[in-house]
Amino acid sequence: MTKAGLFITFEGIDGSGKSTQARLLADDLRSSGHDVILTREPGGSPGAEEIRALVLEGATDRWSPETEILLFTAARRDHLERVINPALARGQIVICDRFADSTRMYQGLSRGDLRAMVDQLHRLMIAKEPDLTLLIDMEPGLGLDRALSRKGSEERFEEFGEDLQKRMRAGFLDLAAEFPERFRVIDGAREIEAVARDVRDIVLDKLVQS
Ligand code: ADP
Ligand code: TYD
């Protein structure tokens, strides 16, 4: 492991298996002696977890699109300052379930084309990209079935339904093509263990290089 740490993110549509794979990867790396922090967005720090409740609960039109971008970015800034950057500076591996690519997709595409605004705010307030982004890709019907089967109160986005998830899937694949140096696309429509093997191979490869 490099002294500067390694920043790995998982991305993909709701229910694609990101949390499951992030947890398995963290366990696997820890059992081979790596120092790992497993975290998530929105949230990951006490302040950002409070913002999480504001953005994920309540009516779909609770926030204007612009306010929503500000809230997700505020949560990310706190998470970055208090958790991600300090961990990377200590040389830890940071595994994060969603990061800025989710804002590029959900806030950038779901309610009009606001990608330029998302990117501007990102440059100003975050200015950090992962070393490696694992996109768990699958057909949206499958992800939505899985996501809805664990029904909870955080449903503002899941309730947008399959049409939005289709656009998100296509958007994530476009994003992978836009940033090919850090993105790897993994077929998520397989058994958990098969997906986990691909994840592990890609990460071990990256650790050897860095
Ligand atoms: P995400 O974090 O992308 O929303 P989760 O990891 O929470 O996805 O998975 C959503 C649901 O699907 C969970 O109930 C999980 O146990 C299940 N799941 C995850 N990966 C698979 C898989 N490869 N095959 C079948 N079910 C899965
Ligand atoms: P998450 O808990 O990862 O949901 P899931 O496990 O269903 O994938 O994220 C909750 C929701 O927040 C998800 O629908 C995507 C949305 N989201 C954004 O809209 N913008 C963001 O920047 C992030 C990080 C998440």
Side-chain angles (χ1 to χ4, degrees):
M1 189 169 57
T2 58
K3 227 177 150 208
L6 190 71
F7 184 25
I8 302 171
T9 58
F10 280 85
E11 295 284 358
I13 58 172
D14 296 323
S16 54
K18 299 175 298 300
S19 316
T20 304
Q21 293 301 328
R23 201 172 343 102
L24 289 173
L25 176 64
D27 291 348
D28 194 59
L29 290 174
R30 281 177 185 139
S31 70
S32 50
H34 291 284
D35 194 358
V36 176
I37 283 203
L38 175 60
T39 187
R40 67 161 182 186
E41 291 206 351
S45 62
E49 289 289 332
E50 289 191 37
I51 299 175
R52 179 181 176 100
L54 294 175
V55 288
L56 296 190
E57 295 175 21
T60 299
D61 64 356
R62 181 178 185 181
W63 306 109
S64 77
E66 291 78 8
T67 309
E68 196 172 286
I69 294 172
L70 288 166
L71 286 168
F72 276 104
T73 307
R76 179 160 306 125
R77 174 78 193 209
D78 189 65
H79 186 208
L80 195 65
E81 283 175 1
R82 291 168 196 246
V83 175
I84 298 176
N85 280 340
L88 292 174
R90 289 191 294 269
Q92 291 178 295
I93 298 178
V94 175
I95 301 174
C96 190
D97 185 354
R98 294 194 185 275
F99 189 65
D101 296 315
S102 283
T103 316
R104 292 184 174 109
M105 290 300 96
Y106 287 80
Q107 282 63 52
L109 297 185
S110 67
R111 294 194 279 169
D113 182 6
L114 296 179
R115 172 74 192 276
M117 188 181 286
V118 169
D119 283 342
Q120 270 181 314
L121 202 58
H122 179 81
R123 265 196 302 278
L124 192 64
M125 287 296 160
I126 309 296
K128 176 149 208 100
E129 301 299 342
D131 299 304
L132 179 64
T133 299
L134 301 164
L135 172 56
I136 312 291
D137 175 62
M138 68 174 52
E139 188 266 309
L142 181 55
L144 205 61
D145 283 349
R146 288 187 193 167
L148 293 177
S149 71
R150 62 166 186 209
K151 265 215 172 282
S153 55
E154 296 178 338
E155 283 163 10
R156 277 190 66 231
F157 294 90
E158 283 159 14
E159 280 174 0
F160 278 136
E162 193 164 343
D163 249 21
L164 177 77
Q165 300 294 342
K166 275 192 182 134
R167 282 169 47 219
M168 293 298 115
R169 182 205 192 176
F172 273 123
L173 289 170
D174 287 347
L175 212 52
E178 190 179 333
F179 301 108
E181 68 293 341
R182 69 176 166 89
F183 262 93
R184 297 292 175 273
V185 181
I186 295 170
D187 174 8
R190 294 174 295 157
E191 302 264 300
I192 290 178
E193 291 71 25
V195 180
R197 262 196 304 279
D198 281 6
V199 167
R200 188 171 53 236
D201 287 350
I202 291 167
V203 170
L204 291 182
D205 222 42
K206 184 76 190 176
L207 282 167
V208 169
Q209 289 165 29
S210 56

